[in-house]
Amino acid sequence: MAVAALSSAHLTDGFGRRIEYLRISVTDRCDLRCRYCMAERMTFLPRDEILTLDEIAIIADRFIARGVRKIRLTGGEPLVRRDIGDLVRRIGRHLRSGALDELTLTTNGTRLAEQAETLFDAGVRRINVSLDTLDPALFAHITRGGDIAKTLAGIAAAQGAGLRMKINMVALRGLNEDMVLPMLRWCDAQGHDLTLIETMPLGDTGEDRTDHYLPMHEAIAPVRQSHAITPLPHRTGGPARYFAVDGMNAKLGMITPMTQNFCADCNRMRLTCEGRIFMCLGHEDHVDLKTAFRQGGVDALDALIDRALAIKPLAHDFAIGPDHRKPATTRHMSVTGG
Ligand code: SAM
Ligand code: SF4
């Protein structure tokens, strides 16, 4: 391939931030309908608008050639994509060559039992699994019909295959706010870390986010009552800040897009399943790599990647509240990739 002849300049944005982390949304489809993420009835993209496995792999190659060291596959639900095993294997070969430090993914876990071995064999060692509660009825309510047994079986299978896990929990007022401490205890007993996430106003979900928005300081108040928590220097190249919890091995992560802006050291780019590069979850600015690639091949990618770097904004500007009932973007998290 002509990759070696192309620019190998590293990816640095207009604010001097070096981009080493690429998140790829491999599909906008999902087998769940979490209330904070999707509307009950969703119209998904037609298949010919979605990047093929080959296109994703070639674009990933190009980013790796330009200095990306970590790739996360996400969605929608990445494991509902039929060729996901092949994609993971193709990107995974860069782990063996040393060109990539980490390949990981974020999943709802429902299909993890079938895929855990494939992921491990391809070189994946850590994954994030989303689980907002341990209560089956509440899980079914939040996901609009999901079966918690599948996600729990997936988590067990992933552990059996040797994958380390971080559990992602979106903190939701009136839904799971009482469960933060029980979830943390469960994670600690199972050997997982727990990351709490504030709801972000992305895409229309058919529900008012103001009702369930829970600021982080309120979400962690029950933990603080019984455990001292201490900030850790540990970062994973993402927006989470980590804390040690007195008496536990589990680390507590917090993602606070609403109460504490995490953009200053943002080192990531996002490739959507329809081949767009969005520089920020909270902005509409993007470049269209799919069209460029389908018209001009791999040679057309570099110029657009450079343009994307030039438009990466300094920060998002999310707000939720009585004066901000509309989403910050019309794009759902499942399209841009969570
Ligand atoms: N389907 C996979 C899953 O649920 O893990 C991957 C995609 S999902 C969009 C990635 C993460 O984004 C999940 O942890 C989910 O809880 C989170 N998420 C989705 N919508 C969100 C929102 N509006 N605000 C905050 N987090 C959100
Ligand atoms: Fe699907 Fe993940 Fe969105 Fe839930 S958060 S609807 S599992 S994409």
Side-chain angles (χ1 to χ4, degrees):
M1 196 192 304
V3 165
L6 297 171
S7 158
S8 60
H10 279 129
L11 304 167
T12 305
D13 75 5
F15 300 96
R17 294 172 295 193
R18 177 92 166 255
I19 309 296
E20 296 187 323
Y21 182 6
L22 177 66
R23 296 172 76 103
I24 305 177
S25 174
V26 298
T27 177
D28 61 335
R29 289 165 198 255
C30 187
D31 52 348
L32 301 180
R33 293 286 182 279
C34 302
R35 288 171 186 274
Y36 47 78
C37 177
M38 290 194 181
E40 188 155 22
R41 285 170 187 275
M42 294 286 291
T43 309
F44 294 113
L45 293 161
R47 289 199 194 276
D48 61 346
E49 286 187 22
I50 301 286
L51 292 175
T52 64
L53 177 143
D54 248 359
E55 288 171 333
I56 297 177
I58 290 169
I59 293 172
D61 286 350
R62 197 58 219 130
F63 271 98
I64 293 167
R66 298 215 37 198
V68 158
R69 305 290 313 174
K70 172 173 173 178
I71 291 184
R72 177 178 299 276
L73 303 179
T74 178
E77 173 48 40
L79 299 185
V80 303
R81 190 165 164 148
R82 243 178 280 142
D83 52 10
I84 189 72
D86 295 334
L87 181 64
V88 169
R89 277 188 284 272
R90 270 184 76 169
I91 300 179
R93 73 189 200 284
H94 292 291
L95 295 166
R96 287 191 296 283
S97 77
L100 190 66
D101 293 333
E102 186 171 35
L103 173 61
T104 182
L105 89 169
T106 304
T107 173
N108 64 27
T110 58
R111 306 208 177 177
L112 205 42
E114 299 107 79
Q115 299 285 358
E117 298 275 355
T118 304
L119 297 176
F120 189 87
D121 291 346
V124 175
R125 292 293 175 265
R126 294 188 313 150
I127 58 173
N128 289 2
V129 182
S130 301
L131 180 65
D132 299 323
T133 175
L134 292 168
D135 179 89
L138 184 61
F139 183 90
H141 175 73
I142 293 175
T143 58
R144 297 196 185 95
D147 176 4
I148 197 172
K150 288 189 187 165
T151 295
L152 294 178
I155 291 173
Q159 200 156 27
L163 295 168
R164 280 190 291 127
M165 268 164 287
K166 208 170 334 147
I167 304 297
N168 279 356
M169 175 182 184
V170 177
L172 300 162
R173 186 186 297 290
L175 289 175
N176 63 3
E177 60 185 307
D178 300 342
M179 293 177 192
V180 174
L181 186 54
M183 277 286 280
L184 184 58
R185 288 194 177 123
W186 179 81
C187 286
D188 187 47
Q190 302 287 317
H192 314 313
D193 292 330
L194 176 69
T195 298
L196 296 172
I197 307 175
E198 287 176 340
T199 343
M200 288 171 256
L202 302 173
D204 194 355
T205 56
E207 301 196 4
D208 187 344
R209 285 192 169 84
T210 319
D211 294 345
H212 294 305
Y213 168 60
L214 183 65
M216 190 60 67
H217 64 274
E218 288 188 42
I220 61 162
V223 178
R224 288 206 149 157
Q225 272 168 18
S226 47
H227 300 266
I229 64 170
T230 323
L232 291 167
H234 172 84
R235 296 298 293 259
T236 57
R241 289 172 171 78
Y242 290 93
F243 295 80
V245 184
D246 189 34
M248 293 194 192
N249 289 321
K251 285 196 275 291
L252 179 60
M254 299 182 202
I255 301 186
T256 53
M258 308 308 297
T259 54
Q260 195 180 20
N261 188 291
F262 49 52
C263 306
D265 47 3
C266 179
N267 68 347
R268 62 186 52 196
M269 282 177 125
R270 295 167 187 277
L271 175 66
T272 70
C273 52
E274 53 185 335
R276 295 175 174 175
I277 291 276
F278 280 92
M279 302 308 302
C280 174
L281 260 184
H283 284 79
E284 302 287 0
D285 291 344
H286 65 273
V287 298
D288 182 358
L289 281 191
K290 181 185 69 192
T291 305
F293 181 68
R294 288 185 182 174
Q295 290 171 357
V298 77
D299 294 320
L301 291 177
D302 268 293
L304 266 196
I305 292 173
D306 287 334
R307 204 161 101 218
L309 286 168
I311 60 174
K312 186 168 168 63
L314 187 58
H316 67 66
D317 40 19
F318 295 144
I320 292 182
D323 301 330
H324 299 95
R325 289 185 188 273
K326 287 228 177 86
T329 68
T330 51
R331 229 160 55 238
H332 290 91
M333 184 85 138
S334 49
V335 172
T336 323

